[in-house]
Amino acid sequence: MFIQWRNYFEPIIWEGGLAELNKFIKALYSVNSKQDNKSKIEWKAISSIFIIDKDFTDPDKLKGASASKMGSTQELKPFLSIIKSAILKI
């Protein structure tokens, strides 16, 4: 008997806008990039995880969404503290 495993996950409903989600994803990436500087953000894969306004986002719109250019990494600091505290709880 062969059992095939399938990954199942519940999509994340994002209450904010595309620009905020873009910044959040970049914050997640910056935590990861300390370990692997060669990795790139997989916008297509990430857009299949988050739902905005009852639909999955277009990866191109998500990648290009930005309310303003980030002046420094300090703008990501609130996201980084949220991520670090979530990781420590696991």
Side-chain angles (χ1 to χ4, degrees), residues 17-67:
L18 283 176
E20 292 84 9
L21 181 56
N22 179 292
K23 282 187 177 183
F24 178 71
I25 291 166
K26 287 179 180 177
L28 287 174
Y29 171 76
S30 70
V31 170
N32 181 52
S33 66
K34 292 177 183 176
Q35 298 172 356
D36 180 12
N37 291 334
K38 295 179 182 178
S39 65
K40 293 184 179 183
I41 298 175
E42 296 292 334
W43 293 103
K44 186 173 182 180
I46 291 172
S47 67
S48 67
I49 296 171
F50 291 94
I51 293 178
I52 297 178
D53 296 327
K54 300 179 182 180
D55 199 8
F56 291 102
T57 60
D58 179 353
D60 293 329
K61 288 182 181 177
L62 180 58
K63 179 180 178 180
S66 179

Side-chain angles (χ1 to χ4, degrees), residues 71-82:
S72 70
T73 56
Q74 291 298 324
E75 293 180 36
L76 296 175
K77 195 170 185 176
F79 293 122
L80 293 175
S81 63
I82 292 168

